[in-house]
Amino acid sequence: MKFFISHASKDSEIAKYFSIFLSNLNVDVEVFCSSISGMINQGDDFVKVIEKELKDSDVFIPLISNKYLDSKYCMIELGYAYSKFVNSEKKYYIFPFCVPPVTKAQALNGTPLAHIQTEPLNGKDEIHNFIRVLMSKNLLKEVYIKNEMINDFINKINNLTMNTENILDDVVILPICSDQDNLDAIQHTIDGEKNIINFNLFANRKKIRPDFISLVLKFPGTFNFYDFLRANAEMSFICTINNYTGSLTDIDIEFKYHETHQLLKSFKQSLLVGKNEISIPIRNMNIEGLKQISEICFVAWNKYIINEEGMFTIENIQMK
């Protein structure tokens, strides 16, 4: 039984681990993964090799990550597999997996395969069920799978994805002022990984201070921060706030969840003049809330703002 692992080149380590995992299930399992040494040899026409392997495969497994969705080659492989799935006289199987932080709902949305059930690659129950499905369809002979084997695989996937994934890849960054008549009170620009915030509380020339100014990181849909915690129990949200002009005494960092943006937890951070290294452990937050983070807000309340004008930056935003 031949499995074809379709993956983005930047997800090669993930694909290798999954290929090894599949190969260890049974001696009859043959896995093609272009990232494994020896699968495509020096001097080979790699397009022809991949075309042949796609044609000869019985099972197509796309690893849907953000990088996969951006890859033209991956989309061609996906299209070939779909065509074979629809037109082949021989039974052909497609088992898509989504790679965090891509969700089941996002994975194949907008593609001809949107109706095919997708499961997360780092889900213990989902991997168990995947093996059961393979056996039920006679794609895999019955084997005894140890929980340790699956746990080890999931830990490796989490360590690869949730320690390196840039949480800002798809985020929308918005400057917010509580006073709708004074939206120019806060201005936001980006210089590389540095978010520069300039503020003038009386930009509208009215001597009324807004209740707060805020920089909001808004995720499309929601973002599963719990996967970070599963990868490392000591995982923290970190950033650097440079209080250049010393205009702020404190800032609140708020984590909101669900599409209704309910407050999960707020952390008040005291600020010194200059650089402030911020580290917030996420282990004590509600798990269900962590699974659906919708916004992270940096809020400077009126009482935290010393000067009517000033500037600060927020940079080095990551999970570590």
Side-chain angles (χ1 to χ4, degrees):
M1 194 60 57
K2 177 173 283 190
F3 292 73
F4 185 103
I5 307 298
S6 177
H7 67 285
S9 58
K10 292 182 179 179
D11 292 326
S12 60
E13 290 302 310
I14 295 171
K16 287 178 187 177
Y17 276 125
F18 193 39
S19 298
I20 293 169
F21 176 79
L22 288 175
S23 298
N24 288 337
L25 293 178
N26 192 286
V27 293
D28 294 329
V29 172
E30 183 181 352
V31 181
F32 176 82
C33 174
S34 60
S35 291
I36 294 180
S37 178
M39 293 287 180
I40 302 178
N41 295 313
Q42 184 178 8
D44 286 349
D45 184 328
F46 72 89
V47 174
K48 289 184 177 179
V49 172
I50 289 176
E51 184 179 354
K52 178 182 182 302
E53 296 295 336
L54 278 168
K55 184 178 179 180
D56 295 343
S57 64
D58 304 290
V59 179
F60 179 82
I61 303 180
L63 304 181
I64 312 295
S65 66
N66 285 321
K67 303 173 189 72
Y68 189 96
L69 296 171
D70 290 338
S71 169
K72 293 181 180 179
Y73 281 105
C74 291
M75 291 298 102
I76 291 172
E77 290 177 1
L78 194 65
Y80 183 98
Y82 177 70
S83 177
K84 186 174 178 180
F85 176 74
V86 172
N87 300 312
S88 178
E89 294 181 3
K90 179 185 175 182
K91 191 67 175 175
Y92 190 63
Y93 298 91
I94 300 177
F95 296 112
F97 282 95
C98 53
V99 179
V102 173
T103 65
K104 293 167 59 173
Q106 296 169 332
L108 294 172
N109 187 33
T111 76
L113 282 75
H115 62 284
I116 296 180
Q117 179 70 13
T118 304
E119 297 295 352
L121 188 60
N122 63 338
K124 182 178 179 180
D125 291 341
E126 288 79 4
I127 294 296
H128 269 293
N129 188 59
F130 170 62
I131 295 170
R132 286 193 293 268
V133 170
L134 292 178
M135 290 191 293
S136 71
K137 296 183 181 297
N138 296 317
L139 296 170
L140 183 68
K141 292 182 180 179
E142 188 169 350
V143 290
Y144 176 69
I145 306 298
K146 293 182 178 179
N147 282 330
E148 290 81 1
M149 180 180 174
I150 294 177
N151 290 338
D152 181 60
F153 167 72
I154 290 172
N155 287 336
K156 285 177 179 177
I157 296 302
N158 280 330
N159 285 329
L160 283 170
T161 58
M162 305 316 292
N163 281 327
T164 59
E165 187 68 38
N166 184 353
I167 63 173
L168 300 182
D169 274 353
D170 298 313
V171 78
V172 176
I173 304 178
L174 300 172
I176 302 292
C177 177
S178 61
D179 186 349
Q180 294 297 306
D181 294 326
N182 194 12
L183 298 181
D184 290 334
I186 178 171
Q187 299 289 329
H188 169 245
T189 55
I190 298 177
D191 181 8
E193 296 184 357
K194 184 183 296 184
N195 292 277
I196 303 170
I197 300 94
N198 287 279
F199 65 87
N200 179 357
L201 300 184
F202 303 131
N204 63 355
R205 299 184 180 180
K206 295 180 181 179
K207 294 299 181 180
I208 302 174
R209 292 169 65 102
D211 292 332
F212 67 84
I213 56 174
S214 175
L215 192 71
V216 178
L217 311 183
K218 184 181 290 292
F219 296 98
T222 59
F223 191 106
N224 187 350
F225 271 64
Y226 181 59
D227 281 338
F228 286 113
L229 201 57
R230 292 201 297 178
N232 182 349
E234 301 304 315
M235 193 70 73
S236 295
F237 173 83
I238 69 171
C239 65
T240 301
I241 298 179
N242 198 329
N243 190 18
Y244 274 106
T245 54
S247 301
L248 304 179
T249 60
D250 305 274
I251 198 164
D252 286 356
I253 301 180
E254 299 178 345
F255 292 80
K256 296 184 178 181
Y257 72 102
H258 197 260
E259 295 177 353
T260 54
H261 311 306
Q262 300 177 58
L263 180 63
L264 178 62
K265 207 153 190 179
S266 179
F267 299 86
K268 183 178 179 179
Q269 306 291 317
S270 297
L271 299 179
L272 301 173
V273 178
K275 285 190 175 182
N276 297 262
E277 304 296 339
I278 309 296
S279 179
I280 301 174
I282 65 172
R283 61 180 177 271
N284 294 325
M285 295 191 209
N286 176 272
I287 290 176
E288 291 307 312
L290 279 176
K291 289 179 179 178
Q292 44 184 335
I293 296 295
S294 58
E295 293 181 350
I296 300 176
C297 308
F298 296 83
V299 185
W301 296 94
N302 180 22
K303 60 184 177 181
Y304 298 165
I305 305 172
I306 299 174
N307 305 318
E308 65 182 59
E309 294 185 50
M311 187 263 281
F312 61 96
T313 66
I314 304 172
E315 51 197 284
N316 192 33
I317 300 172
Q318 59 181 297
M319 299 299 298
K320 191 172 180 179

